[in-house]
């Protein structure tokens, strides 16, 4: 009985070892770390409400600016005695929500315009390309500064604004791919069968070009996180009492000399997250799309 | 070639027009500047007088046409706060910004490109790994984190460099480094991959097979061809000489364009914001234009293609 158990266990261990090493053959250690970190961030964002030890606005006035390491406040507290760990967890959630929302918006918007340019050509195509030129001429940070300061910052506006980030990249890629796909047999075949243009583009061309678009999403996502944290750092992104990673760094800056942990904790999270996405994104790109380098 | 230049010029003008329109629409439609400048408790006739004085009582399209006309006659309006010419206010700040961005650009070029080329020639070496690491840092560490960490190390802990202000050249050291580190990494990565791509081409094999010294192969065959993609990214860096310092200027309290933009944006000083947007866009469009023309010079294929 025991020997069977042992055999089973060693089989299991062997299988585990085999699958881990085959994963390591396929994905280097850095990519494994990236996937692990991103999974942890997504989990934290999903379960933020249960993970937070304190409310993000709960003040503990007896222990203001206390250093990290204490059991009550693992990552220390800020100038109002608010728990840095709790705020960090909430910040991860807010920053990820904005970045996810904006990445999806920008991918949909850009791809739609790119397909429209490929479908109608002529004036529509010129218009889309002119819009892309315009986007390239005006640094995104400057444009968002103007829009946010004049409309006032709100969560919805912030997501919509960030949703314009990088759309021109999708538009250019989608346009190019759709034009070349249109020349291929399969697209012509479904057109001959009488499919509507919407059906041709969404059901047939889109799945064929999706991998390239997904790879561009892994490029845009960390840039949106950096852009949002930059805006929040400047005080024009996420507004208090809500908190985001950049917003925490911005406020922590005032206490740089006395309490550097307020700023260092979110800064580390920003860096590790963008790093992980680039590592995983590069790996995905090699896997999914050998044509793009 | 002339047609090529003309088409590019036309596109540049259209782009600038789009930026002007964008600035006008966003800034003018987002709220009532009179309320913001005067505050909520001001009597109605004062608000009306303010609107008349600034032409805000006219229909929007008349305001737009008037704005376009004044732009093309070189009049960018008057700052609502300082009552000084917006263009003058902005131009006064340009030297301060360039004091940071020009040295940073030089650092990026002098370190980034040689490092990338060296890494490409010595793949898998220690230097190659260093370049890759630096490039990753350049991509993942936002400039505000980089700046604050540098302040923490050099001003707070070591106490050797000032953390803000613009009194002496020493004050410019930390902001310049903050701005250049990321760019060095990005440029090094670009140069590295451009160089690796070129080194794999058949003409490099031909050049070394016909007995050229490796050194000559690199200098006269590999580098000129690798220059084409590098020019793109350098052009982008030149274009953002004015715009690139918003965050860094605000960290180090440097009185340049970026600080002016943030202050004007929070004061809703329309004329100044529009003027800055326009100058930044003009700089970007100009450098894109120059890059396009440089392509024609660097890559004869493009030139002949444009001629036909």
């Amino acid at each position: 009985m025991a020997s069977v158990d042992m055999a089973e266990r060693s089989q299991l261990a062997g299988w585990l070892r085999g699958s881990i090493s085959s994963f390591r053959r396929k994905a280097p250690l850095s990519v494994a770390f990236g996937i692990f970190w991103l999974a942890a961030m997504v989990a934290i964002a999903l379960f933020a409400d249960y993970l937070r030890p304190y409310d993000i606005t709960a003040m503990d006035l007896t222990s203001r600016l206390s250093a990290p390491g204490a059991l009550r406040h693992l990552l220390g507290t800020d100038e109002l005695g608010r728990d840095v760990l709790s705020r960090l967890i909430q910040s991860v959630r807010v920053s990820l929500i904005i970045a996810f929302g904006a990445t999806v918006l920008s991918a949909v918007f850009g791809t739609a315009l790119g397909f429209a340019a490929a479908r109608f050509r002529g004036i529509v195509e010129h218009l889309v390309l002119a819009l892309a030129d315009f986007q390239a001429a005006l640094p995104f940070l400057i444009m968002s500064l103007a829009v946010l300061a004049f409309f006032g910052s709100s969560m919805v506006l912030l997501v919509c604004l960030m949703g314009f980030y990088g759309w021109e990249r999708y538009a250019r890629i989608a346009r190019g791919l759709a034009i070349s796909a249109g020349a291929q047999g399969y697209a012509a075949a479904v057109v001959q069968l009488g499919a509507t243009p919407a059906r041709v583009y969404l059901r047939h061309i889109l799945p064929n070009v999706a991998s390239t678009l997904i790879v561009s999403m892994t490029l845009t996502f960390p840039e949106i996180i950096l852009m949002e944290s930059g805006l929040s750092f400047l005080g024009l992104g996420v507004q208090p009492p809500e908190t985001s990673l950049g917003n925490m760094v911005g406020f922590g800056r005032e206490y740089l000399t006395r309490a550097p942990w307020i700023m260092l904790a979110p800064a580390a999270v920003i860096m590790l997250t963008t790093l992980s996405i680039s590592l995983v994104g590069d790996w995905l790109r090699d896997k999914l799309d050998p044509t793009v380098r | 070639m002339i047609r090529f230049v003309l088409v590019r010029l036309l596109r540049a003008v259209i782009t600038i027009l789009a930026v002007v329109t964008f600035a006008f629409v966003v800034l003018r439609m987002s709220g009532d500047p009179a309320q913001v400048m005067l505050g909520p408790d001001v009597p109605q006739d004062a608000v009306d007088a303010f609107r008349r004085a600034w032409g805000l009582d006219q229909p929007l399209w008349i305001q737009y046409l008037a704005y376009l006309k004044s732009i093309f006659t070189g009049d960018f309006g008057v700052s609502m706060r300082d009552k000084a010419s917006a263009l003058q206010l902005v131009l006064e700040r340009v030297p301060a910004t360039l004091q940071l961005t020009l040295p940073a650009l030089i650092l990026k070029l002098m370190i980034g490109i040689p490092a990338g080329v060296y890494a490409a020639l010595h793949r898998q070496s220690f230097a190659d790994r260093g370049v890759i690491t630096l490039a990753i840092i350049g991509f993942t560490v936002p400039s505000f984190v980089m700046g604050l960490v540098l302040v923490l190390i050099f001003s707070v802990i070591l106490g050797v460099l000032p953390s803000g202000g613009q009194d002496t050249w020493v004050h410019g050291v930390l902001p310049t480094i903050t701005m250049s580190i990321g760019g060095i990494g990005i440029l090094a990565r670009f140069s590295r991959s451009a160089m690796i791509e070129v080194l794999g081409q058949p003409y490099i094999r031909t050049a070394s097979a016909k007995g050229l010294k490796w050194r000559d192969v690199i200098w006269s065959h590999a580098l000129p061809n690798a220059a084409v993609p590098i020019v793109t990214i350098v052009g982008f860096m030149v274009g953002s000489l004015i715009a690139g310092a918003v965050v860094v200027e605000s960290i180090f309290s440097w009185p340049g364009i970026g600080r002016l933009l943030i202050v004007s944006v929070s004061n809703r000083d329309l004329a100044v914001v529009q003027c800055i947007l326009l100058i930044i866009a003009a700089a970007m469009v100009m450098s894109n234009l120059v890059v396009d023309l440089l392509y024609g010079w660097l890559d004869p294929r493009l030139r002949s293609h444009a001629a036909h």
Side-chain angles (χ1 to χ4, degrees):
Chain A
M1 191 64 197
S3 66
V4 172
D5 197 35
M6 279 299 285
E8 253 177 18
R9 204 180 302 167
S10 74
Q11 222 174 7
L12 183 72
W15 176 81
L16 246 177
R17 203 166 332 128
S19 60
I20 288 176
S21 73
S22 83
F23 178 73
R24 281 196 51 189
R25 257 200 314 280
K26 284 184 210 144
L29 207 59
S30 56
V31 174
F33 165 79
I35 292 174
F36 167 76
W37 178 266
L38 291 180
M41 285 301 113
V42 171
I44 286 175
L46 286 178
F47 302 108
D49 292 336
Y50 306 101
L51 291 170
R52 272 199 313 259
Y54 299 90
D55 195 73
I56 56 162
T57 50
M59 296 182 233
D60 183 355
L61 292 174
T62 54
S63 55
R64 279 182 292 181
L65 296 177
S66 68
L71 268 184
R72 266 172 69 200
H73 302 289
L74 274 178
L75 290 178
T77 58
D78 66 5
E79 76 279 8
L80 295 171
R82 296 175 299 189
D83 185 48
V84 171
L85 180 63
S86 305
R87 294 180 67 75
L88 192 61
I89 290 172
Q90 179 68 14
S91 297
V92 167
R93 164 182 256 183
V94 170
S95 291
L96 282 193
I97 288 177
I98 293 177
F100 267 121
T103 306
V104 171
L105 263 183
S106 136
V108 170
F109 180 62
T111 309
L113 279 185
F115 278 171
R119 166 79 176 80
F120 300 108
R121 308 302 289 264
I123 187 84
V124 177
E125 189 173 28
H126 280 295
L127 201 67
V128 170
L129 292 180
L131 267 179
D133 273 2
F134 159 73
Q135 189 81 66
L138 202 57
F140 194 79
L141 181 68
I142 310 285
M143 193 187 94
S144 357
L145 273 179
V147 174
L148 279 176
F150 282 83
F151 286 101
S153 189
S154 73
M155 198 68 169
V156 175
L157 180 65
L158 200 60
V159 173
C160 292
L161 189 59
M162 294 290 111
F164 278 101
Y165 184 87
W167 69 267
E168 76 274 16
R169 193 180 304 163
Y170 301 104
R172 288 210 169 99
I173 295 172
R175 171 182 160 271
L177 291 175
I179 287 176
S180 58
Q184 281 172 19
Y186 74 90
V190 280
V191 171
Q192 289 296 315
L193 285 172
T196 58
R199 192 179 167 87
V200 176
Y201 276 92
L202 295 180
R203 297 289 297 276
H204 296 276
I205 294 184
L206 187 60
N208 278 290
V209 303
S211 65
T212 315
L213 293 173
I214 289 171
V215 168
S216 341
M217 284 171 91
T218 67
L219 285 176
T220 320
F221 190 80
E223 289 169 15
I224 290 180
I225 290 188
L226 292 183
M227 190 60 70
E228 178 270 317
S229 46
L231 281 174
S232 299
F233 171 81
L234 291 171
L236 294 161
V238 173
Q239 299 294 317
E242 194 50 271
T243 172
S244 83
L245 294 170
N247 173 308
M248 276 183 86
V249 177
F251 286 105
R253 168 187 168 198
E254 317 264 322
Y255 297 88
L256 192 59
T257 44
R258 285 160 64 203
W261 54 86
I262 303 176
M263 175 230 129
L264 287 175
V269 172
I270 294 175
M271 290 188 296
L272 285 174
T273 308
T274 47
L275 175 68
S276 302
I277 302 167
S278 334
L279 289 173
V280 175
D282 276 356
W283 178 69
L284 268 184
R285 179 163 31 174
D286 293 344
K287 291 267 140 196
L288 288 178
D289 193 8
T291 58
V292 181
R293 264 200 297 173
Chain B
M1 190 70 194
I2 292 173
R3 204 190 113 104
F4 176 73
V5 174
L6 279 180
V7 168
R8 298 289 144 153
L9 267 177
L10 186 69
R11 274 179 73 172
V13 170
I14 292 176
T15 310
I16 291 198
L17 206 61
V19 174
V20 178
T21 312
F22 165 80
F24 182 84
V25 170
V26 166
L27 306 190
R28 212 45 69 93
M29 301 212 7
S30 56
D32 186 356
Q35 294 288 344
V36 176
M37 293 300 291
L38 299 176
D41 303 327
V42 170
Q44 189 57 41
D45 47 333
V47 172
D48 289 342
F50 181 88
R51 289 205 178 123
R52 257 196 310 283
W54 295 100
L56 296 171
D57 53 346
Q58 305 281 332
L60 206 61
W61 64 273
I62 291 186
Q63 290 184 38
Y64 177 64
L65 285 184
Y67 184 70
L68 273 190
K69 187 178 157 231
S70 57
I71 294 284
F72 284 111
T73 51
D75 173 15
F76 288 80
V78 176
S79 162
M80 288 185 185
R81 193 149 286 250
D82 295 357
K83 309 283 181 286
S85 152
L87 184 64
Q88 200 189 337
L89 271 180
V90 175
L91 290 182
E92 273 169 11
R93 299 294 193 98
V94 171
T97 294
L98 290 181
Q99 269 174 28
L100 291 184
T101 50
L102 273 181
L105 178 69
I106 292 170
L107 276 181
K108 288 178 207 169
L109 296 180
M110 302 271 288
I111 302 176
I113 296 178
V117 171
Y118 185 85
L121 295 174
H122 301 82
R123 284 180 78 180
Q124 307 297 334
S125 71
F126 182 72
D128 189 24
R129 284 169 207 285
V131 163
I132 294 173
T133 313
L134 199 65
I136 291 175
I137 291 175
F139 186 66
T140 56
V141 182
S143 56
F144 58 90
V145 169
M146 178 73 73
L148 291 180
V149 168
L150 288 177
V151 166
L152 193 61
I153 296 173
F154 290 100
S155 309
V156 177
I157 298 175
L158 297 177
V160 287
L161 288 168
S163 65
Q166 195 214 4
D167 304 332
T168 60
W169 68 270
V170 184
H171 288 82
V173 172
L174 279 186
T176 308
I177 293 177
T178 306
M179 253 185 292
S180 42
I181 288 184
I184 290 174
I186 290 167
L187 201 51
R189 187 176 179 176
F190 251 86
S191 318
R192 177 180 176 274
S193 55
M195 199 61 188
I196 287 175
E197 164 117 37
V198 166
L199 287 177
Q201 296 292 319
Y203 54 77
I204 296 295
R205 209 180 319 139
T206 310
S208 42
K210 76 182 181 190
L212 271 186
K213 271 188 233 137
W214 184 233
R215 195 185 177 77
D216 294 338
V217 174
I218 300 298
W219 279 99
S220 49
H221 292 271
L223 282 177
N225 285 295
V228 177
I230 298 176
V231 161
T232 317
I233 189 97
V234 173
F236 181 77
M237 286 175 173
V238 171
S240 52
L241 275 177
I242 293 180
V246 175
V247 173
V248 173
E249 279 176 11
S250 114
I251 297 174
F252 293 97
S253 332
W254 191 272
I257 296 270
R259 275 272 301 283
L260 181 66
L261 176 64
I262 297 211
V263 171
S264 314
V265 147
S266 36
N267 291 338
R268 309 192 72 165
D269 200 339
L270 305 183
V272 177
V273 174
Q274 275 171 325
C275 188
I276 294 178
L277 282 182
L278 213 56
I279 285 185
I280 286 172
M284 280 309 250
V285 169
M286 295 269 273
S287 73
N288 284 345
L289 192 65
V290 171
V291 165
D292 278 345
L293 299 183
L294 264 182
Y295 272 164
W297 179 65
L298 279 171
D299 194 339
R301 283 169 302 183
L302 292 178
R303 209 168 11 190
S304 62
H305 178 72
H308 291 139

